[in-house]
């Protein structure tokens, strides 16, 4: 009751000022009205606050730029122009009483403080900032049909829960949520602007650094809060598909070449111990370092990512090449001073040949050096590895790329 009395008093002051202004006979221009508006306190509640009908707020979203999408923090930064419009018949009635004639009236950042605007906030916001160069980037326009158009430019950092199981072949959906902070759906209802063919405009976004935007969805729904009740809410979903070109050049090709480099040890002699050990150890350490660098920019999630499968497989192949050399080296080596070794275990007994001289007599027997079956097997193992390792890695590549490239199709 007290609020209603204050509202009637303010309205009476406004009409009184208008009457004095009309009697004075001055020109009724836009500037004159704004000058008069500065001295008149206006209501700070929605236009239909005293009625049972809610105030309808139409929303149009212009996405100027998507600056950064961070997997480590699971958020993204977006620069938007937010356009809101609603009806205020009471304000227009007061203007017509003063016999002001104009198609529209613009309010800058200073004069719009006298006019009520919706208390919109972003529930998934982490950080936000208004553009203030050179002045606050917001404006308000009052049209002749009682429609108020409000525009403001905002820089937002919004949370985006990402599923990185298919990383870097993943698809993400990042959203912008908007709702009224203080008014429930009984007093204020948000909806997307039906006068616009596309209420969420993204034409200004040419190309993102790591993603491409393939689709934009928008929804109206109601969010329920335990304390305040039901609030009208708007949601714009941005469907993003990651571009894998950077990852192919910086991650997949280098690790592929390192695995191929480890296969050079199969072509070296069994006795080339320093060279083969160096190739194997450097390959394992390089892939381990590269895998650590890839995961350094990603959150510590409990599930396995697609890049983890690739790096782990490359590490297994490099490590297997090192183990293969160790096996070959052990099989082919006879340790001096030992009566027993693998080489002597599989040694073929001496072969003896006989020959007949011109007189028909049997010559003395000729003994051949013992031959090691293990040494022969170690040589065959190197030869087999030259073909088996590339074949197995090729099969893995075929399965890996066919599967993950198919799941990224939108």
């Amino acid at each position: 009751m007290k609020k209603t009395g204050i509202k009637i008093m303010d309205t009476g002051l406004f009409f009184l000022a208008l009457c004095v202004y009309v009697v004075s006979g001055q020109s009724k221009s836009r500037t004159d009205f704004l000058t008069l508006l500065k001295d008149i306190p206006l209501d700070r509640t929605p236009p239909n606050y005293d009625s049972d009908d809610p105030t309808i707020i139409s929303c149009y979203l212009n996405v100027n730029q998507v600056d950064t999408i961070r997997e480590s923090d699971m958020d993204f930064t977006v620069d938007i122009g937010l356009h809101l419009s609603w009806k205020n018949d009471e304000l227009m009635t007061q203007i017509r009483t003063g016999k002001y004639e104009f198609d529209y009236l613009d309010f800058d950042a200073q004069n719009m403080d006298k006019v009520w605007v919706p208390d919109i906030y972003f529930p998934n916001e982490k950080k936000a900032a208004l553009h203030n160069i050179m002045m606050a980037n917001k404006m308000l326009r009052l049209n002749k049909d009682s429609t108020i158009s409000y525009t403001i430019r905002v820089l937002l950092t919004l949370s985006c829960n990402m599923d990185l199981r298919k990383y870097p072949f993943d698809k993400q959906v990042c959203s912008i949520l908007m709702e009224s902070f203080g008014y429930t759906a009984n007093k204020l209802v948000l909806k997307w602007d039906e006068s616009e063919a596309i209420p969420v405009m993204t034409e200004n976004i040419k190309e993102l650094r790591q993603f491409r935007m393939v689709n934009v969805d928008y929804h109206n729904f109601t969010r329920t809060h335990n304390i305040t009740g039901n609030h009208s809410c708007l949601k714009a979903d941005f469907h993003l598909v990651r571009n894998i070109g950077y990852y192919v050049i910086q991650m997949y090709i280098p690790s592929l070449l390192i695995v191929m480099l480890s296969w050079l040890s199969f072509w070296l002699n069994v006795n080339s111990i320093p060279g083969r050990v160096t190739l194997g150890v450097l390959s394992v350490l390089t892939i381990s370092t590269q895998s650590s660098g890839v995961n350094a920019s990603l959150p510590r999630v409990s599930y396995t990512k697609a890049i983890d499968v690739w790096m782990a497989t490359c590490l297994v192949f490099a490590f297997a090449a090192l183990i293969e050399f160790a096996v070959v080296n052990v099989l082919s080596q006879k340790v001096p001073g030992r009566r027993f070794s693998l080489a002597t275990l599989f040694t073929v007994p001496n072969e003896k040949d006989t020959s007949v001289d011109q007189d028909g007599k049997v010559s003395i027997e000729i003994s051949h050096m013992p031959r090691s079956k293990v040494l022969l097997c170690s040589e065959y193992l190197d030869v087999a590895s030259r073909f088996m390792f590339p074949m197995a890695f090729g099969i893995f590549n075929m399965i890996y790329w066919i599967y993950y490239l198919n799941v990224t199709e939108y």
Side-chain angles (χ1 to χ4, degrees), residues 74-88:
M74 289 199 176
D75 59 24
F76 70 108
T77 301
V78 60
D79 186 351
I80 64 171
L82 179 60
H83 304 269
L84 305 174
S85 61
W86 64 94
K87 290 280 189 178
N88 195 331

Side-chain angles (χ1 to χ4, degrees), residues 218-407:
Y218 40 90
H219 313 278
N220 301 49
F221 63 98
T222 301
R223 294 185 67 197
T224 302
H225 300 274
N226 295 332
I227 298 176
T228 57
N230 297 329
H231 286 245
S232 179
C233 186
L234 298 181
K235 183 179 183 182
D237 293 330
F238 303 102
H239 295 261
L240 307 171
V241 175
R242 193 182 300 273
N243 297 321
I244 65 171
Y246 168 82
Y247 302 92
V248 170
I249 296 174
Q250 297 295 328
M251 299 179 187
Y252 285 97
I253 292 180
S255 57
L256 173 64
L257 294 178
I258 294 171
V259 172
M260 296 176 65
L261 182 65
S262 68
W263 299 339
L264 291 180
S265 64
F266 305 145
W267 298 86
L268 298 179
N269 191 281
V270 177
N271 297 323
S272 302
I273 296 176
R276 298 189 69 163
V277 170
T278 302
L279 278 175
V281 172
L282 286 180
S283 299
V284 171
L285 292 179
T286 304
I287 293 179
S288 300
T289 303
Q290 189 178 26
S291 178
S292 300
V294 169
N295 288 293
S297 60
L298 298 174
R300 297 179 179 178
V301 293
S302 59
Y303 48 80
T304 302
K305 303 178 288 295
I307 193 65
D308 296 334
V309 175
W310 173 266
M311 288 299 178
T313 304
C314 290
L315 182 61
V316 167
F317 271 89
F319 185 75
L322 183 60
I323 294 299
E324 188 272 348
F325 162 68
V327 173
V328 168
N329 185 60
V330 170
L331 291 177
S332 62
Q333 195 173 42
K334 181 177 180 180
V335 182
R338 290 186 183 177
R339 296 182 178 179
F340 173 79
S341 68
L342 291 176
T344 58
L345 178 64
F346 295 95
T347 300
V348 181
N350 292 352
E351 296 179 358
K352 298 180 180 180
D353 292 337
T354 57
S355 61
V356 181
D357 57 12
Q358 295 179 354
D359 298 332
K361 296 181 179 180
V362 178
S363 62
I364 298 173
E365 295 179 349
I366 303 174
S367 298
H368 294 284
M369 297 297 295
R371 297 174 58 194
S372 173
K373 289 183 178 180
V374 176
L375 181 61
L376 190 61
C377 289
S378 65
E379 294 175 355
Y380 286 161
L381 183 59
D382 267 347
V383 174
S385 298
R386 296 172 189 175
F387 301 97
M388 296 302 296
F389 271 71
M391 185 182 300
F393 193 67
I395 294 174
F396 163 74
N397 269 267
M398 182 176 62
I399 298 174
Y400 181 90
W401 290 101
I402 290 176
Y403 174 74
Y404 283 110
L405 287 179
N406 285 337
V407 299

Side-chain angles (χ1 to χ4, degrees), residues 20 55 108 121 128 143 164 212 247 255 259 263 363 395:
V20 173
T55 301
D108 59 12
Y121 85 108
N143 297 295
L164 300 175
R212 67 180 186 274
Y247 302 92
S255 57
V259 172
W263 299 339
S363 62
I395 294 174

Side-chain angles (χ1 to χ4, degrees), residues 102-319:
F102 46 79
D103 294 332
Y104 64 89
L105 180 64
D106 289 331
F107 295 77
D108 59 12
Q110 297 178 350
N111 292 318
M112 70 173 61
D113 292 339
K114 297 294 183 178
V115 181
W116 176 85
V117 295
D119 58 339
I120 301 298
Y121 85 108
F122 303 89
N124 60 331
E125 169 216 330
K126 284 187 175 181
K127 183 172 59 176
L130 299 178
H131 292 270
N132 295 314
I133 305 298
M134 299 287 290
M135 294 185 63
N137 293 172
K138 58 181 179 179
M139 64 162 290
L140 187 144
R141 171 173 289 184
L142 175 61
N143 297 295
K144 193 174 183 178
D145 62 349
S146 304
T147 301
I148 295 180
S149 299
Y150 177 69
T151 303
I152 187 170
R153 187 180 171 202
V154 188
L155 182 65
L156 299 169
T157 299
L158 305 169
S159 63
C160 177
N161 294 325
M162 301 182 185
D163 186 355
L164 300 175
R165 287 179 173 85
K166 302 297 190 301
Y167 176 90
F169 305 92
D170 55 328
K171 299 179 293 184
Q172 304 297 340
V173 179
C174 295
S175 305
I176 299 179
L177 294 172
M178 296 180 292
E179 72 175 57
S180 171
F181 186 82
Y183 296 103
T184 62
N186 295 329
K187 292 301 179 183
L188 192 146
V189 174
L190 300 177
K191 69 173 186 177
W192 292 109
D193 195 345
E194 298 177 353
S195 62
E196 299 289 342
I198 304 177
V200 181
M201 182 60 64
T202 58
E203 287 185 353
N204 295 331
I205 304 176
K206 301 300 181 182
E207 186 70 24
L208 302 178
R209 281 179 286 182
Q210 295 187 31
F211 292 86
R212 67 180 186 274
M213 189 175 296
V214 296
N215 193 22
V216 179
D217 294 334
Y218 40 90
H219 313 278
N220 301 49
F221 63 98
T222 301
R223 294 185 67 197
T224 302
H225 300 274
N226 295 332
I227 298 176
T228 57
N230 297 329
H231 286 245
S232 179
C233 186
L234 298 181
K235 183 179 183 182
D237 293 330
F238 303 102
H239 295 261
L240 307 171
V241 175
R242 193 182 300 273
N243 297 321
I244 65 171
Y246 168 82
Y247 302 92
V248 170
I249 296 174
Q250 297 295 328
M251 299 179 187
Y252 285 97
I253 292 180
S255 57
L256 173 64
L257 294 178
I258 294 171
V259 172
M260 296 176 65
L261 182 65
S262 68
W263 299 339
L264 291 180
S265 64
F266 305 145
W267 298 86
L268 298 179
N269 191 281
V270 177
N271 297 323
S272 302
I273 296 176
R276 298 189 69 163
V277 170
T278 302
L279 278 175
V281 172
L282 286 180
S283 299
V284 171
L285 292 179
T286 304
I287 293 179
S288 300
T289 303
Q290 189 178 26
S291 178
S292 300
V294 169
N295 288 293
S297 60
L298 298 174
R300 297 179 179 178
V301 293
S302 59
Y303 48 80
T304 302
K305 303 178 288 295
I307 193 65
D308 296 334
V309 175
W310 173 266
M311 288 299 178
T313 304
C314 290
L315 182 61
V316 167
F317 271 89
F319 185 75

